[in-house]
Amino acid sequence: MPQITATDEYQNLFDIDANLNRLVKNIELLRYINPLNIEHEKKQFFSAKYNYEPKFKYPKINFNGYKLHRLFFSQRLERIEDEDIRQLYEDIIYEYSSLIECIETIGQGRKFYYNSLKSFGTPPEKDIDNAKFILRFDDEDFDEDMLPMYNVEEAKAYFEDYSKRYDFKYKIKFSTNISAAAMVLNNTQTLVLRKNHKFSKNQLEVLTNHEVGVHMVTTFNGLSQPLKVFSNGLPNNVETQEGLAVYSEYMSGCLTLKRLKELSFRTLASDSLSKGYTFADTFDLLHNQYKLNRDKAFSITLRAHRGGGFTKDRLYLSGLKKVFKYAQEGNDLGILLTGKVSMEYMDTIKKLQDLGLAIGPKFFTDSYEVNDNSNKDLEFILKGLK
């Protein structure tokens, strides 16, 4: 690995990178997208026999969107001499600008949905076909590891024990205002666990390999890079990052058909937004047509409809498909762990490494090094995805 290039040799690049780093600190979408009144609206929805449109409330925005847009587009990118690196930073500015528009319109119905489409897209037909292909398989036999029995304090202890294998420290917080059982806040190196959730043993295995084994690994690898863009995120990084995270579940042996089906339902829920489905419509699709229990159906529907229509969830299954294919071909997963990066920019990442402007991953997902997956049915399914 080449030595880090002296800053003064690429001063313009580092100046622009530092400027962007200062600007993006307040625009972590996950900080704003989760409603503050989930439990209240869930009770209302159920008591109304599913014939009610939840009225979610969201955190207040603590930045001036217009001012941020102006500062992003005032960067003198022409001072970056290398064409590929300049194009990367141009794409990054457009990406961050789109995220600002997303955050500014949270809770504004279709206006937010159209901004979400710019950042996360909508499921193409082949992803819908993949989801339906997975849902055709029979459910697995009952397994005690799937029983929800651990409270949030026990989950915290499990995460802390698992994390001893990695030489980094992060914060753990509890919240009732998240739609997932757990999530990582990249900017503050914080793991958030849902306070009122009961975790199964399998879910704890899934979440540790997913949230810590990949999301925290890439968070701290990004922080170790000389260029802050690796920490703040390259364009379209969500699909690659979520694909890596679910692939970690697979390689650690804790990915189940039930979990794959959940990702398929998320894809179908994202697709329902393009058809104009209301919250109740999407819930009905999952609960009545696909026979999901009402709590799981509500959770997946919430994830899709929060903000006004949030299509990020469609990227888990498509990301897994791409990362699985990439790994099966014997390619280097390390380059995808160097920060919050995306597969589309691998050539530029390699160039940055060759120039001494980026380094390899300081931390490596441990499940990738030893393949503990023994589920041939899952392997068959993943190889069968389009």
Side-chain angles (χ1 to χ4, degrees):
M1 184 61 60
Q3 295 295 310
I4 296 298
T5 301
T7 305
D8 54 4
E9 191 177 341
Y10 286 91
Q11 189 62 54
N12 289 326
L13 172 61
F14 278 93
D15 286 346
I16 291 169
D17 184 75
N19 290 341
L20 295 182
N21 182 55
R22 284 190 293 272
L23 295 176
V24 301
K25 289 305 180 188
N26 289 320
I27 61 170
E28 184 151 32
L29 184 54
L30 291 181
R31 191 190 299 175
Y32 301 102
I33 191 63
N34 290 305
L36 298 171
N37 58 338
I38 294 172
E39 290 306 313
H40 178 269
E41 290 304 293
K42 183 178 180 180
K43 287 177 184 175
Q44 290 278 94
F45 184 75
F46 286 165
S47 64
K49 303 268 194 313
Y50 320 141
N51 188 25
Y52 168 74
E53 199 64 20
K55 297 174 178 61
F56 293 118
K57 297 176 183 176
Y58 298 93
K60 290 183 179 178
I61 297 170
N62 62 348
F63 61 83
N64 183 316
Y66 175 79
K67 184 178 178 181
L68 271 181
H69 281 297
R70 182 163 53 81
L71 291 170
F72 273 126
F73 287 103
S74 68
Q75 301 303 309
R76 304 290 295 274
L77 296 187
E78 67 276 6
R79 293 179 175 175
I80 300 176
E81 295 180 9
D82 184 279
E83 187 176 339
D84 293 327
I85 300 174
R86 184 169 64 249
Q87 185 62 56
L88 169 64
Y89 275 80
E90 183 177 322
D91 294 346
I92 285 166
I93 286 172
Y94 280 111
E95 175 87 356
Y96 293 163
S97 179
S98 293
L99 286 177
I100 294 169
E101 290 180 328
C102 274
I103 295 169
E104 286 182 305
T105 53
I106 286 173
Q108 296 182 30
R110 300 300 277 183
K111 192 172 183 181
F112 170 81
Y113 170 65
Y114 293 131
N115 284 324
S116 173
L117 286 178
K118 283 197 290 184
S119 292
F120 305 106
T122 194
E125 201 60 42
K126 65 179 179 179
D127 287 353
I128 304 300
D129 291 342
N130 285 336
K132 291 179 177 177
F133 168 70
I134 291 168
L135 294 174
R136 286 204 296 266
F137 288 84
D138 293 333
D139 290 337
E140 295 145 319
D141 294 333
F142 171 77
D143 186 341
E144 284 190 2
D145 286 352
M146 306 299 286
L147 287 173
M149 55 193 299
Y150 299 99
N151 64 33
V152 73
E153 290 288 353
E154 292 167 319
K156 179 184 178 186
Y158 190 94
F159 271 93
E160 288 172 339
D161 184 62
Y162 172 91
S163 300
K164 290 175 183 175
R165 67 192 70 188
Y166 294 110
D167 186 24
F168 51 66
K169 301 292 183 186
Y170 60 89
K171 298 182 282 291
I172 298 180
K173 292 184 177 179
F174 304 153
S175 174
T176 56
N177 300 322
I178 60 173
S179 55
M183 71 175 188
V184 167
L185 292 175
N186 179 50
N187 285 351
T188 57
Q189 299 89 61
T190 302
L191 172 74
V192 185
L193 300 176
R194 194 160 82 216
K195 192 173 184 178
N196 53 353
H197 186 73
K198 283 286 187 181
F199 300 80
S200 69
K201 185 174 186 296
N202 173 262
Q203 189 178 33
L204 288 174
E205 292 171 347
V206 164
L207 291 172
T208 46
N209 281 281
H210 184 112
E211 303 293 348
V212 179
V214 171
H215 290 328
M216 278 297 179
V217 162
T218 55
T219 287
F220 283 95
N221 281 338
L223 288 170
S224 71
Q225 296 284 353
L227 292 170
K228 302 302 181 185
V229 69
F230 280 86
S231 177
N232 294 321
L234 272 60
N236 308 319
N237 74 80
V238 172
E239 183 175 48
T240 298
Q241 295 300 307
E242 297 302 349
L244 288 168
V246 182
Y247 185 67
S248 176
E249 300 172 29
Y250 171 79
M251 290 292 282
S252 65
C254 61
L255 183 66
T256 61
L257 177 58
K258 182 180 179 182
R259 169 72 166 158
L260 263 189
K261 285 189 173 184
E262 179 182 340
L263 302 185
S264 301
F265 287 130
R266 290 184 188 181
T267 300
L268 296 183
S270 294
D271 181 56
S272 77
L273 297 171
S274 69
K275 297 173 179 173
Y277 279 31
T278 64
F279 190 101
D281 292 335
T282 302
F283 178 88
D284 180 70
L285 171 73
L286 299 174
H287 182 54
N288 291 325
Q289 183 174 330
Y290 284 102
K291 307 306 179 187
L292 272 184
N293 73 64
R294 70 178 196 169
D295 287 315
K296 178 57 72 175
F298 183 90
S299 174
I300 293 174
T301 303
L302 166 64
R303 290 178 63 98
H305 280 269
R306 55 187 163 161
F310 191 38
T311 58
K312 176 197 169 204
D313 269 6
R314 68 118 188 153
L315 297 171
Y316 287 73
L317 187 60
S318 63
L320 172 61
K321 176 193 68 176
K322 291 178 181 179
V323 170
F324 179 81
K325 182 175 185 291
Y326 175 84
Q328 290 289 301
E329 292 170 350
N331 293 305
D332 175 30
L333 286 165
I335 193 169
L336 300 179
L337 295 172
T338 52
K340 303 300 181 183
V341 305
S342 47
M343 297 179 82
E344 296 96 312
Y345 291 92
M346 282 191 293
D347 288 343
T348 305
I349 296 168
K350 289 174 183 174
K351 173 181 272 194
L352 289 168
Q353 290 178 339
D354 290 341
L355 292 171
L357 295 168
I359 59 175
K362 182 178 179 181
F363 305 102
F364 198 88
T365 303
D366 69 323
S367 67
Y368 293 169
E369 300 186 281
V370 180
N371 184 358
D372 285 331
N373 175 64
S374 58
N375 191 325
K376 295 300 178 186
D377 291 340
L378 290 184
E379 185 179 356
F380 170 80
I381 291 171
L382 293 179
K383 286 182 176 178
L385 298 181
K386 296 178 181 179

